[in-house]
Each structure stands twice: as structure tokens, then as C-alpha cells.
Amino acid sequence: MIIVARKDIAADGLDHIRERVEALGLRTQISIGETSAIIGCFGDDALLGHVPLLSIPGVDSIRQVISPYKLAARDFAADRTTGVQVGSRKFGGKACLVAAGPCSVENEEMMKATGHAVGMQGAALLRGGAFKPRTSPYSFDGLKDEGLRILARVRDETGLPVVTEVLDPRHAELVAGHADMLQIGARNMQNFSLLREVGQLHRPVLLKRGLSATLKELLLAAEYVMSRGNMQVVLCERGIRTFGDEMRNTFDLAAIPWLKAETHLPVIADPSHAAGRRDLVAPLSYAAVAAGADGLIVEVHPDPGTALSDGDQSLDFEGFSRLMRDLKVFAEAAGRTV
Amino acid sequence: MIIVARKDIAADGLDHIRERVEALGLRTQISIGETSAIIGCFGDDALLGHVPLLSIPGVDSIRQVISPYKLAARDFAADRTTGVQVGSRKFGGKACLVAAGPCSVENEEMMKATGHAVGMQGAALLRGGAFKPRTSPYSFDGLKDEGLRILARVRDETGLPVVTEVLDPRHAELVAGHADMLQIGARNMQNFSLLREVGQLHRPVLLKRGLSATLKELLLAAEYVMSRGNMQVVLCERGIRTFGDEMRNTFDLAAIPWLKAETHLPVIADPSHAAGRRDLVAPLSYAAVAAGADGLIVEVHPDPGTALSDGDQSLDFEGFSRLMRDLKVFAEAAGRTV
Amino acid sequence: MIIVARKDIAADGLDHIRERVEALGLRTQISIGETSAIIGCFGDDALLGHVPLLSIPGVDSIRQVISPYKLAARDFAADRTTGVQVGSRKFGGKACLVAAGPCSVENEEMMKATGHAVGMQGAALLRGGAFKPRTSPYSFDGLKDEGLRILARVRDETGLPVVTEVLDPRHAELVAGHADMLQIGARNMQNFSLLREVGQLHRPVLLKRGLSATLKELLLAAEYVMSRGNMQVVLCERGIRTFGDEMRNTFDLAAIPWLKAETHLPVIADPSHAAGRRDLVAPLSYAAVAAGADGLIVEVHPDPGTALSDGDQSLDFEGFSRLMRDLKVFAEAAGRTV
Amino acid sequence: MIIVARKDIAADGLDHIRERVEALGLRTQISIGETSAIIGCFGDDALLGHVPLLSIPGVDSIRQVISPYKLAARDFAADRTTGVQVGSRKFGGKACLVAAGPCSVENEEMMKATGHAVGMQGAALLRGGAFKPRTSPYSFDGLKDEGLRILARVRDETGLPVVTEVLDPRHAELVAGHADMLQIGARNMQNFSLLREVGQLHRPVLLKRGLSATLKELLLAAEYVMSRGNMQVVLCERGIRTFGDEMRNTFDLAAIPWLKAETHLPVIADPSHAAGRRDLVAPLSYAAVAAGADGLIVEVHPDPGTALSDGDQSLDFEGFSRLMRDLKVFAEAAGRTV
């Protein structure tokens, strides 16, 4: 159940509503937008029938949210303009934000070179994995703490906020201490301990869709994070696993407009993992933005041929430069900027 | 094996090459482009080693085509500018062609209304099913012969060429006698009798990808048609069957650039069947064109709420008008027209 | 709607009911079992309300069949003991019937050798393809008419009834003239023209599940055949297409008990195509029978290493002999015979 | 690379080999069977070329293991008879072991009732979830610590060892302190932090296949556990996610014999989650055992209609009793016991 109040309701008014609801044993969550404020009520909804909420000054209406996700549902957001702030940029605004960088943080030099190069081309964030999930226990799994420190230093030098993956709930605080945005990878989309942990931090979360997750499951995973108080979630379509054998994954483009209709959370795409092939990254990127994506996360490496992981799908600096140039044209066609 | 000859090779020269190759027991197929001519040779390639082909005037080179499809492979086409002509329009040129119309031909009046409406908005073809494949034997399966006659009359009145599905090899000639383009539906992508039959006709073929067909299988299905002499094939991505349950199918957008890289055949998208939902047709269309599609096939109905089939995914005239208006912007961003 | 009558209702009584129902514009189909007779009524069910059917002597009850398939639904069969007769054997009785033989009819000698060998081991039918569906137009696609004649001669010599695939509605009568059972392959499960055609013949049909067909779609495909009057349909689970890449297909074993609960039609399994690997054929066969399958169709070749198609998944005679020996043990555990 | 030594090689001999290998910077893992001992060597294999290993007394041969998993590969095991011991029973021996119990530990009374009932019918283990992974953050997620304590008390009373899921690496020791076997659920199959954690404990692990995991990925997940020193891993096929919509998951039966051929680890099946329907649990169980499974894990609840989770797929005590009775017959047909 959500209570919709007028935007100009006084802070006292909101407090009053919250107290009344919480006195019934329900939990509340408040979203303040430009035209209204919304108080989400969680618990035994039926109890709300005992309180004359509509007679409280400033309360406009009370609505049942029937989707299984409450906080992530589009109905919940007072308006969509809020977005998710990372550094000085915002996911979900007019601009499509591009996060770019290598699969793995390999060393400081390559991260600096990449940070400067992608920043100059208009990337909004630098990506790079310090803790790497690898299918085999014998593969390179990242520089770990040292990788985090490199990321933090490159952020300081380039001014680009950094996004990196967290794999283990015990590392969540550590990663949050170095990175500006926490990535939950596809394999961990239903690692509920990890979701709850990042839900207690004050860091924006980039939540990737699992390989065989339905879109409802993705929204419920976001709900895990949000239900712990961290409302700063950006969703990411990165390809699903199907019978198709010509590409690494099947890019489920329609997930983007479907999610945009269903949730107020920003939605971005990862064309690199979806395709697994460098030459398809650009057309998938243009398509994602044409379909309404709020941004992209793209693998870029100074020398893809020598990358420790995901070399086949990484762009070099020149390829990224061309991508950004043409992406601007499609963003403009979509009424957006890059 | 393909033999590449200079474009200006005399007709006599081509005949000479063909005779030499066929004398070895191989079959040939010729493609003439703007810069070269290509002679495809099918059968026991090794025999070609016995003929001094490179010494024939006008022969530039001999190349092995290692993909399992020969005529559909990009290497085969002398150049890509050829395209597939339907009426006065051409799939595979600068313009993205849009085929629009109802799922089923329901009656003459609605077809005329639709033909005029979509033609005015810039559609290049009128679509409509006379023979309908239906999962249940108890569902409406089309007006059949009468549907074909309606299509032909509406084409004559509106000037729009018509595309309609053929389901049965025994109907292929009949359908070809009324329609400008023959559609092979997803369920029949590997109906080899039907593919061979339309391969013997002189009508362009719109070949839809099967629900669980790999892209290689799609190209081999095209090869069935082409190996019978009909080179006029347009491929269509229309969504695949996956675990996803929020939409009718999963739109495999990456198939479009993958196919464009692999074959010289034009590639279009069917956003209506992919999504199964009216509100997703526009974003999927924009994405398809951004990713390089040569056109679209879209379901449009005068009154989707009363449609005999596929009403949920059909646009009304106003929706189609908005789609075409915005599609132009994305086509332009892609360096194309509509 | 189905009308359930007592078994001992006179032929006159059944005729009377049929006439009353057909006078309303509905079609009828009659199934006579050991304990009751059932009259299926197809068309506008509501009209039946105007006829006092229950007052007709011998009519026991009237039931609504709410599944989308009517004739295939378990409710329709007067009882399950009917089964599908092929030669002197019956699918759906106590015995699990095994059809065995090569993928393709390669020549008369190998068919005779195989027929004698598998017959001696207890196979109930001989399988072998005369018309072969092939993904590529350049692959061997069967001996066609000559293959049919070979099959007929081997049947005459060995006494084993033969099952072979029909690909084209124009060949249905020809194939039915030589074979005892008509196979509809996975790729043609929704080739509705072909289904209708075999629905008009008096030959049992072996209907294979499509690669990505749901079980409801399989039953609706059977309904196409049955709605044309041919009730002799045996269903076959042969593996579906999934993300799995270790085997040719994913054997959907649970389809067997699901179908047995939902339909009165016999259900068999094809472990050879499901696995695509010789060493898995035996365990899949045992499992199918343990789960309630009414039989198997297995690829057997005198010399799998030289087979023109599907050699990797074919058993040799010795392998088939071992399979049959152990299968008997599992059939007995399931209360069946082989 | 693995070094195969004669079984009777002295402990000194093994130590000597290990020292030589480790001196090169490689890690080692030893498996001692009834006929031979195997020393697995991990790291830069090429270095082994510098040591004359074959001249060490007792060394029989050196083999390259080319599969991506080393310890899980069938080649690694000195022999298959080892199995995985849980309490007084062993997975991978002649007996098929059945773990049975409710989805969730709901209270002590129902656990005791279930423990006694399933134990009496021949179950080898009691299952029950204390920490439950739930798609929605608002669903019941288990009694946690209290659930563990209940399990331990019921084990003490009934004598049945208990298996329960661990979700979070921080709980691994706690769970291992109460349970006899640690379950890694399907959603956590690639939770590498968790796999590494249970790899350091001395408790057998029941590793369930992920919803869209290939079999190679399952074996690599086992390899994560084993590479940390815990070789006691039992694999479990529990259904995969496909396009099928009639059942909860698609039971990939062929995974069982495929895995048995590829690894020395025991393999069991979970028919309850695969089917999601009570009436299919028995046929899937029989099929699993017929195909070579080393056991089952089955959901049983005193009153499935009131279960807090998974009620639709839980057997009641009578259903479980029938299952066990008939399972014995199929186990015997497979040359096994229950």
C-alpha cells in the first residue's frame, strides 16, 4: 500500500503519517519527488483500514501496489526525475551515462591510461574488476585489495568515479570504501546475503541481470537492496543464456523498454558481455539507447589482444572513440545526450 | 568454391567459364554486381583443380567458401548493392522498408482501409495473412483463396505490393499468382519441401527465423531456396523462444548485425511478434534500425481490440503514424531513410 | 463437450445421439471403450443446452472438456486400453514396443541385415528414413521412392512392420502405401498441412515433439491429426533445445509422465536423438521405461562408423542386444513387458 | 598433470613425490584408492618435465588431464569406490541413498515427526532448510539458528544425519557445527566465496546444479570446493530453466549418466524441484535410479497443504512410503539397493 501526498506537505505532515502507520506495526519508506511525496507502507496492509488516512491534510490518495516488488515498482516513485547520483553525474536523467574500462584491473598504468582515454571521450565512469568471479578456480581472479587501491588512485587522478564488483558480503564495506558504485554481477543477482549487505551501505548499486533470471526476479533482487534502505539501484541488461550458440549470450533488448515501463529505476545495457564479440558492441549500444536505455557499461582495454580476461569483447581506445561519436547521434535521435 | 571475375567480362566469357565448370559435373550459379561477377560452383570442388581457370581472360581469383552455406554467404555476392526488389522498392538499399498490415486478412474493407492508411504513412508493403498457421485446429485459419483475391485487389487499388504467407507447397504457385512477396513463417523455416517449392518460383521470399533456430540454420534455410535458383531472399528476426515469460518471445536483436556481417541478404525485424505487446513495438523498431536492419514488418489493424488474431500486438493507425514519424529520426541517425 | 454413454448402448442409440447433435450444426467423433462409449461434440457447445440429451436411453453424463485439446484429452477416451495397433502389436498396452533401425535407408542389404537382427532381439518395428529432412540442402536426403520400396520388401521378408517419415503432404499417400506407420518429425510438428493430410489416412502416426514445442503444443498437433478422423496417434519425446551444449538435445524425461496423465495417447521416447551419443542411449532408455513410456524408437546400424547420417548416436547390433536384455529388467520393474 | 602410483607405494614414497613436485612451485592433492594412488599436480605443468618422476620407485605413469576440471575429473580418482561418507552411510556405493524432509524447518514437532517417518521408510538422511533463499525479500526465509538447533536435536533423537543449506560464507562454520552435510543451492552454485568457504571445512557438500549451468560449470564449481581441500562433494541434478512452462523446471535426466561418465563424484537427483508437482516425483525418481543416480533428495511434509514453502511438490508420509516401496524395485533392476 502506498500513500500519495501533495509535494508541499510539511515535513511535520510526513512525520505524522509515518508515525500513524508505524504505530500499526508496519514499516515505511518515503520518496519525495517534484510533484508529490509517497509513503510506502510494508507489513499487514489490512491494518491501514483502521486509520482515517485520507482525512490527514495533504494526503491525496491511497493505492494498492499489486506487483510483488513494492519499492521498485514504478508506482512507488513520486516521479522519475530522481535518478541515481554517482559523483557529479546522474543515471536516469537526460544524459545516457557510459561506464567504460577493462574487465580486470591489471595494473595501475593500464588503468590510468584507460581512465584518461575514456574520460576524454565522454565516459561518465571508469569500470574495472578487482575481485573477479571466474568459472574455474584456476583462472586469474583479480588483484583484490591492490586493485581497489589502484581504482581509488585513478579516480583521484582522472576525476572519474569508479564502479567495481563486490563478490562477498564480507568485502562489501571494503569495496564501498574505495569505489563510487558497487556492481553486483550476473552470477550473484540472487546472492541474497550480498544483496542485503549492499542494501545497508550508502553507495549506489549497479545490479546486473542473472543469466537466466526473469525480469520479475531482477526487480525482486533490486527490492532486496531497497528493502534494506538503499534506494540507489541501477539495473543492467547484459544478455541471457539461450540455445543460441553464435554469440556469448542473447542480448534481451526488449528488457530495456519493459523495465522502463515497470520500474522507476534507471536501466542500462552491457553490450560487451551480451555479444562477447568486439564487432557487435557498437550496433548493440546504438540499439540500447534507441530503445530507451539510460546508459551503457562497455569493456575498453588499451590492448585487447593482451587482456587477462574478456579480450575478445573489449574495444581499444580508437574503437571506443568511434562508438562514442556515433552514440551521440543515436542519443540525440532519442532526445537524450551522452 | 567461387570464381571471381571482372565485372566487364563478356557474357561469352561467363558462358565459357560455366561450361568448363559444368563439364566437370558441378552446378553453377552466377551473381553479377557493380564491380565484379561471381560464379558459384557446387559439387566436388576438387575437380576444379584440373581446369586452368585463372588463365581464362577476365577471371580474377578463385576462393574457397568454407561456411556451410554458399550462396547466402557474404563472400558469394559480387557486391551488396543488389538487394531484393519488390515492386518499385528494394530491400537492402539505403531505405529501410516497412511492411505493415493486419495479422489476418479479415475482409476487403479493413484491408483497403489499412492499405490506404499505412501507405500514406510511408509503408512500402502491405502485409496480411490469407492462410494462417494456428496452434489449434479449432482456431480461425484465414480466408484462404478469398483472402488472396482481396490482397490482389487492394494492391491494385493502393499500389502497395503485398506480402503474405504460404503454408503448403501445393499452394505456392497460387499464392505467387496473387502476392508480390511470399512469406515463410517461423514454424515452416525448416519445412524443406516448402522451401524448395518457393525456390523454383520467381517471387521474392520473406524468410522468418524459426522459434528455436540458430542463425546458421536460418542461413541454411535460405540456402535451400537459393540453391533452387531463387536468390531473392529477405531474412527476418522475429524473436526466439527462451525461458522469458514476460513477453511473447525474446527479440534477438544481435542477430541483425551478426547476419549483416555473415550474409549479403537483406535482414529485417518483426517487432510485433517478438514483443507480443503493442507498447513495445516502437522501441524495438527503433533499436532494430539502429542496429542496421534493412526494414521492419509490423502488425497494424484498424481496430486492434476486435482483431481476429494478434490484437494485443497490433498498432492502430495513429500508433503506426507515430511509429513512422519517430522511425525516420532513427533511420537518419543510421544514415538511412524510411 | 463430451457425452458419456453406457458401453451397451445399441448402435442405434449412438446414431440417434449423433444425429441430434449434428442437427445443431456440431461435428461428432465417437470412441468406444470397454466400459463406456464417448461422443465428442465440436462446435458451438452452448447449443447442446437445447437438447434433452440426458433423457436419451443409455446416456450417463455430459462433461465439459476445458483443455484446448479435446480428442487428445484423457477425458475423451472411453478407456485407455484401446491403444494404437501397428501390425500385430499395440502401442499403449502392457508391452513396451521398441522400434529400431538406421537413421536412413541406405540400401536393401543393410536394411535386411538390420531387420533380421533387431527382430531377433525383440524389436516390434523396423525404422528407417527414406525421405530425410536435412539442415543443409547439400546433405544426403534419402533414397526416397526406392527407400520406400526397400522398406516394404524388408517388411515382407522379416514380418516387422515399418515406420518411416513423411515430409511433404504430396507424398503422404505414397508413404502410407508402403509403410505401416507414418512418422512426423520434430521439424514438422507444426506443419499443419502435413498433419491434416495424415489425418485423412488410415495409418497410425508417430508424432515427434518439436525442438521447442511445449507439451500443450504437442497435444494440439495431435489434435490436428485426430480432428481429421485419424485417432491412431503415438506421441514421442525426443529431446528439446536448451542452453545445454554437452549433448545434442535435452531429454525432457518428465514429459513422459506428464503426457500420460494428460492424454490417452501412447507416449514413447527417442533416446538416440535426445542424447546424440551412443553411450547414453541405454540409461535414457531405462529411465524412459521406468517413468512410464509405452515404448522406444532407437537408432541401430550394422556399422555405425560408416553410417550416412547419425552414426554417433547409433547402436551396433551387439549394443542393441545388450540394451534389449537390460530393458526387459526395467520393464518388469515397471510392471510391463518388452 | 596427475602422477599415478602403485597402491602399495610407501607413505614415504608419496611424501617424496610430493616434495619434488612442490619444490617446483606446484600444489599437490593426493587420492588413495584400492588399486593405485594418484597425485594431482596444479600449477605450471611444464616444469614437471625437469624432474625424472618415472624413475621414482612406485610411479607407474604420468598423465595430462585435459579437462578444465582436474580433481573432479574421473581420471583423478584412484578408483570410484571411495564415495562420500555421511554418518554411517556412503554416497557412491551400492546403495542409493535418499534424503527426505520438508523444504523448510518449520518447528521441532514437524521435524521430529518427519524424521521418524522417513527414517522408518528407509531414508538415509533428513533434509530441511534453516536458511532459505527466497526470490522475494518479503517471503519467509527460515528459522535460521533456531532451525539449525532443531535439526541437530532431531538428528540426535532419530539417528538420521541431516543436510541443510548454507547461504552465506559467514554462516558456513555455524551450519557445519550443526549439520552432517552442507547443501549449496542452485542459486549459489557460482557463489565462489561460499564454495571456497565450504572447501575449507570438513563436512560433505551437496552441490546443486544452477538453473542455467552447463555440466562443465557444475564440475568447475565442485572443483572450487575440492581445490580448497574438501573432496567430499556430491552433485545434484535438480532441473534446469528452459522454455517449458508446464513444470517448474526441466529435469535434465541425461545429466546423470553424463556426469557419471565424466567424474568420480556421486550424483543424485532432486525430483521435487525438477517437477514442482507431487504426482511427478515418483516417476522421476524411478527414472533417475534407472539412469544410474546414486541417490535422491525428496521433499516430504507431514501435511503438504499447510507447508510454508513448496507444498505443491511435497509428498506426504504415505506418498513417501509408496515411493520407497517402488523405488526398491527399480534400484534392484539397476543392480543397486535403497
Side-chain angles (χ1 to χ4, degrees), chain A:
Chain A
M1 202 82 96
I2 60 176
I3 302 169
V4 183
R6 286 199 308 274
K7 171 64 192 319
D8 59 1
I9 190 169
D12 281 10
L14 280 178
D15 281 350
H16 177 66
I17 298 171
R18 191 170 53 197
E19 281 160 23
R20 295 291 294 267
V21 173
E22 293 181 351
L24 298 167
L26 283 77
R27 287 178 307 104
T28 59
Q29 186 88 29
I30 293 182
S31 159
I32 301 182
E34 291 188 2
T35 56
S36 58
I38 285 184
I39 301 99
C41 308
F42 304 96
D44 183 357
D45 278 4
L47 296 170
L48 288 175
H50 303 309
V51 186
L53 292 162
L54 284 169
S55 64
I56 298 176
V59 168
D60 261 358
S61 62
I62 296 175
R63 271 188 285 156
Q64 189 74 36
V65 179
I66 53 168
S67 70
Y69 30 91
K70 310 293 176 191
L71 299 166
R74 192 168 178 178
D75 277 354
F76 175 68
D79 52 58
R80 298 188 71 127
T81 55
T82 324
V84 172
Q85 192 83 24
V86 182
S88 64
R89 308 297 298 272
K90 196 169 68 176
F91 282 98
K94 193 185 180 190
C96 296
L97 303 194
V98 178
C103 177
S104 307
V105 175
E106 297 176 8
N107 58 59
E108 186 153 355
E109 186 189 16
M110 66 85 78
M111 287 308 296
K112 280 192 181 159
T114 308
H116 285 294
V118 302
M120 215 168 60
Q121 301 297 341
L125 290 93
L126 178 65
R127 64 152 287 160
F131 295 94
K132 297 297 305 170
R134 299 307 299 267
T135 302
S136 164
Y138 308 124
S139 300
F140 169 67
D141 64 349
L143 296 182
K144 306 190 186 67
D145 305 46
E146 174 57 14
L148 292 178
R149 287 191 293 270
I150 291 173
L151 281 171
R153 287 197 294 268
V154 175
R155 183 243 330 267
D156 294 345
E157 184 175 314
T158 61
L160 281 184
V162 296
V163 54
T164 198
E165 184 163 355
V166 54
L167 288 177
D168 187 317
R170 296 167 297 191
H171 301 154
E173 278 201 55
L174 173 71
V175 178
H178 291 78
D180 303 279
M181 190 174 203
L182 304 175
Q183 181 178 314
I184 303 289
R187 291 185 185 89
N188 282 311
M189 193 202 83
Q190 292 193 316
N191 182 337
F192 302 124
S193 303
L194 185 59
L195 295 175
R196 285 201 192 93
E197 200 69 29
V198 301
Q200 284 161 350
L201 299 173
H202 298 287
R203 277 277 172 271
V205 173
L206 177 56
L207 178 62
K208 289 195 157 186
R209 180 182 183 184
L211 264 76
S212 64
T214 65
L215 297 174
K216 288 185 201 78
E217 288 170 344
L218 172 59
L219 288 172
L220 283 165
E223 192 82 8
Y224 261 93
V225 178
M226 300 170 87
S227 67
R228 291 291 163 129
N230 185 349
M231 310 294 278
Q232 302 297 95
V233 180
V234 173
L235 305 173
C236 181
E237 161 61 29
R238 46 77 73 210
I240 56 173
R241 189 167 270 188
T242 72
F243 64 84
D245 58 359
E246 284 103 356
M247 284 166 277
R248 182 166 175 180
N249 290 292
T250 296
F251 184 47
D252 183 8
L253 176 110
I256 297 168
W258 190 95
L259 286 168
K260 296 290 291 179
E262 197 74 12
T263 180
H264 57 89
L265 299 173
V267 180
I268 71 168
D270 175 347
S272 308
H273 282 86
R277 281 172 47 158
R278 191 174 306 127
D279 62 326
L280 298 180
V281 170
L284 268 57
S285 298
Y286 308 152
V289 166
D294 294 307
L296 300 171
I297 181 163
V298 179
E299 290 193 343
V300 178
H301 192 282
D303 181 10
T306 66
L308 291 182
S309 49
D310 283 355
D312 286 347
Q313 69 198 36
S314 296
L315 300 180
D316 60 15
F317 295 162
E318 197 188 318
F320 183 67
S321 163
R322 277 195 305 270
L323 171 74
M324 291 299 280
R325 185 192 61 204
D326 292 344
L327 192 64
K328 281 184 182 65
V329 183
F330 287 100
E332 200 176 329
R336 309 286 288 262
T337 60
V338 176

Side-chain angles (χ1 to χ4, degrees), chain C:
Chain C
M1 203 80 99
I2 60 177
I3 301 170
V4 183
R6 287 199 308 275
K7 171 65 192 318
D8 59 0
I9 191 170
D12 281 11
L14 279 178
D15 282 350
H16 176 65
I17 297 172
R18 190 168 55 197
E19 279 160 23
R20 294 292 293 266
V21 173
E22 293 182 350
L24 298 167
L26 284 78
R27 287 176 308 105
T28 59
Q29 186 86 31
I30 293 181
S31 159
I32 301 182
E34 292 188 2
T35 57
S36 58
I38 286 185
I39 302 100
C41 309
F42 304 94
D44 183 357
D45 278 5
L47 296 170
L48 289 173
H50 303 308
V51 185
L53 292 164
L54 285 170
S55 64
I56 298 176
V59 169
D60 261 357
S61 62
I62 297 176
R63 271 190 284 157
Q64 188 74 34
V65 179
I66 53 167
S67 71
Y69 30 90
K70 310 294 176 193
L71 299 166
R74 191 166 178 179
D75 277 353
F76 176 68
D79 52 57
R80 295 188 72 128
T81 54
T82 324
V84 171
Q85 191 84 24
V86 182
S88 64
R89 307 296 300 270
K90 194 170 69 176
F91 283 98
K94 193 184 179 191
C96 295
L97 303 193
V98 178
C103 177
S104 306
V105 175
E106 297 176 8
N107 58 60
E108 186 152 357
E109 188 190 15
M110 66 86 79
M111 286 309 295
K112 280 190 180 159
T114 308
H116 284 294
V118 302
M120 215 167 60
Q121 302 297 341
L125 291 92
L126 176 65
R127 63 151 288 159
F131 294 94
K132 297 296 305 169
R134 300 306 299 265
T135 303
S136 163
Y138 308 124
S139 300
F140 169 67
D141 63 348
L143 296 182
K144 307 190 183 68
D145 305 45
E146 174 56 15
L148 293 177
R149 286 190 295 269
I150 291 174
L151 281 170
R153 287 196 295 266
V154 176
R155 184 242 333 266
D156 293 345
E157 184 174 313
T158 63
L160 280 184
V162 296
V163 53
T164 197
E165 184 163 355
V166 54
L167 288 177
D168 187 318
R170 295 167 297 192
H171 301 153
E173 279 201 54
L174 172 71
V175 178
H178 292 77
D180 303 279
M181 189 175 204
L182 305 175
Q183 179 178 315
I184 302 289
R187 290 186 186 88
N188 282 312
M189 193 201 83
Q190 292 195 315
N191 182 338
F192 302 122
S193 303
L194 184 59
L195 295 174
R196 285 202 192 92
E197 200 69 28
V198 300
Q200 284 161 350
L201 299 174
H202 299 287
R203 276 277 173 271
V205 173
L206 175 56
L207 178 62
K208 290 195 156 186
R209 180 182 183 186
L211 263 75
S212 62
T214 65
L215 297 173
K216 290 186 199 79
E217 288 169 345
L218 172 60
L219 287 172
L220 283 165
E223 192 83 10
Y224 261 93
V225 178
M226 300 171 86
S227 66
R228 291 292 163 128
N230 186 348
M231 309 295 278
Q232 303 297 94
V233 180
V234 174
L235 304 175
C236 181
E237 161 60 31
R238 44 79 72 210
I240 56 173
R241 189 166 270 188
T242 73
F243 64 83
D245 57 0
E246 284 102 357
M247 284 166 276
R248 183 167 174 179
N249 291 292
T250 296
F251 183 47
D252 183 9
L253 175 111
I256 297 167
W258 191 95
L259 286 168
K260 296 290 289 180
E262 197 74 12
T263 180
H264 57 88
L265 298 173
V267 179
I268 70 168
D270 174 348
S272 309
H273 282 86
R277 280 171 50 156
R278 191 175 305 126
D279 62 326
L280 298 180
V281 169
L284 268 56
S285 297
Y286 308 151
V289 167
D294 295 306
L296 299 172
I297 180 163
V298 179
E299 290 194 344
V300 177
H301 191 282
D303 181 9
T306 65
L308 292 182
S309 49
D310 282 354
D312 287 346
Q313 69 197 36
S314 296
L315 299 179
D316 59 15
F317 295 162
E318 197 189 318
F320 183 68
S321 163
R322 278 195 305 269
L323 172 74
M324 291 299 279
R325 186 193 62 203
D326 292 343
L327 192 64
K328 279 184 183 63
V329 183
F330 287 100
E332 201 176 329
R336 310 284 288 262
T337 60
V338 174

